[in-house]
Amino acid sequence: MRPTIHFDVETISADECYERYQRSAAALHACGIGERDVFALMLHNEPVMLELMLAGRWLGARWCLINWHFQAQEVRYILTDSAAKVLIIHADLLRAARDGIPPGIKVFVVTPAAHTCSVFGFNDGIWPHANGFDRWEAFRDAALRPAVAQKAPGTAMFYTSGTTGLPKGILRAAPSTEQIEALHQMNSIAMGLEPDVRALVSAPLYHAAPMGYALFAALHEAAMWIEPRFDVERTLQLIETHRITHTYMVATMFVRLLALPPEV
């Protein structure tokens, strides 16, 4: 699991990515996250999100992905129902979510990257709602913690949409070795993943399919380009400039591509 990650002008080498998610795994373990424990992520598409998912997989833990459009009541319900021990959240999202964080959960804040700020129009870089919370990167890198032994792969914990009542968390049993190998082969075929993959990730990673696509691309040690959100012209630019071979898009993305004028 050593993908190379590109995020705007930043490139994280395969070795550096491995070192980062190993430090993340050790830091999460220091917070009490182990096999089958839950930690929550409420993050924009950034390298740190992929690193944390890989860390959770390494630990055999469950990472609960929270839609960053959610408001306090929705955040409170998921954090309480999932029994998450840790929440890692982007600073700009705390304005809507802070009142929904239940007592007893450890909260870490991630400062949005410059590229994310540019894409979403965050101008001042001042996050008063983040005051009083520890910064994730500082905690991750503050101490040289012992490496954590790899466990049976952890997995995401998703919530249903709640159309038949409150959203319901989906807990998957740990797969067997045979199931892991079969799933790996199936996804390699279904997603067309092969050596020298150059993958673009711009669909929101809090959704199941983009998350699965990104995770399996990482497991194939792809070169990955992560974007905070989908932008139709930038997508074409990235495909042309970096010779992207794989991406994940839904119908609305294709509609926006087809709506572009021919000269674009």
Side-chain angles (χ1 to χ4, degrees):
M1 298 190 296
R2 294 174 183 256
T4 300
I5 302 175
H6 302 270
F7 187 71
D8 194 30
V9 297
E10 178 186 16
T11 297
I12 303 169
S13 71
D15 288 343
E16 185 180 358
C17 178
Y18 176 81
E19 291 170 0
R20 283 195 192 186
Y21 77 73
Q22 286 294 305
R23 292 199 302 273
S24 292
L28 287 168
H29 192 258
C31 293
I33 301 297
E35 289 183 277
R36 294 178 294 280
D37 289 321
V38 179
F39 65 98
L41 302 177
M42 192 170 179
L43 298 168
H44 299 292
N45 284 17
E46 285 190 4
V48 66
M49 190 169 185
L50 182 61
E51 293 162 15
L52 283 161
M53 292 191 297
L54 292 173
R57 189 178 190 277
W58 184 274
L59 290 170
R62 296 184 171 111
W63 57 95
C64 181
L65 302 173
I66 301 178
N67 186 324
W68 49 259
H69 294 93
F70 280 0
Q71 300 298 303
Q73 183 177 356
E74 298 163 300
V75 172
R76 181 184 300 110
Y77 170 75
I78 290 179
L79 290 176
T80 303
D81 186 74
S82 67
K85 294 182 177 181
V86 174
L87 168 66
I88 303 173
I89 182 172
H90 264 125
D92 63 288
L93 303 176
L94 275 165
R95 180 175 184 177
R98 182 165 183 161
D99 289 345
I101 300 173
I105 188 169
K106 179 63 177 175
V107 179
F108 292 99
V109 172
V110 177
T111 300
H115 184 38
T116 303
C117 291
S118 174
V119 166
F120 287 101
F122 303 148
N123 295 320
D124 54 16
I126 300 172
W127 320 105
H129 296 277
N131 293 338
F133 295 116
D134 292 332
R135 300 290 166 157
W136 169 251
E137 297 94 332
F139 178 77
R140 179 194 66 192
D141 300 336
L144 184 60
R145 302 179 177 92
V148 181
Q150 185 174 13
K151 306 297 183 182
T155 186
M157 180 181 181
F158 291 106
Y159 271 77
T160 63
S161 60
T163 52
T164 57
L166 292 172
K168 299 168 182 65
I170 301 167
L171 290 175
R172 295 176 177 172
S176 66
T177 303
E178 293 76 15
Q179 288 173 323
I180 292 171
E181 180 59 29
L183 184 63
H184 185 80
Q185 292 180 3
M186 180 187 72
N187 279 287
S188 297
I189 295 170
M191 299 182 185
L193 297 174
E194 52 194 25
D196 300 322
V197 165
R198 301 172 70 82
L200 172 61
V201 179
S202 59
L205 287 171
Y206 58 73
H207 281 309
M211 188 285 302
Y213 158 75
L215 186 61
F216 277 100
L219 294 178
H220 280 75
E221 302 190 337
M224 302 178 67
W225 280 259
I226 297 177
E227 284 293 300
R229 69 178 178 187
F230 175 74
D231 178 270
V232 61
E233 291 193 34
R234 181 161 173 81
T235 294
L236 293 178
Q237 178 189 38
L238 290 168
I239 290 172
E240 181 179 15
T241 302
H242 301 293
R243 296 295 183 257
I244 300 298
T245 61
H246 293 66
T247 190
Y248 178 89
M249 295 196 295
V250 297
T252 53
M253 293 173 165
F254 283 105
V255 168
R256 290 170 63 185
L257 281 169
L258 292 171
L260 286 171
E263 60 269 21
V264 175

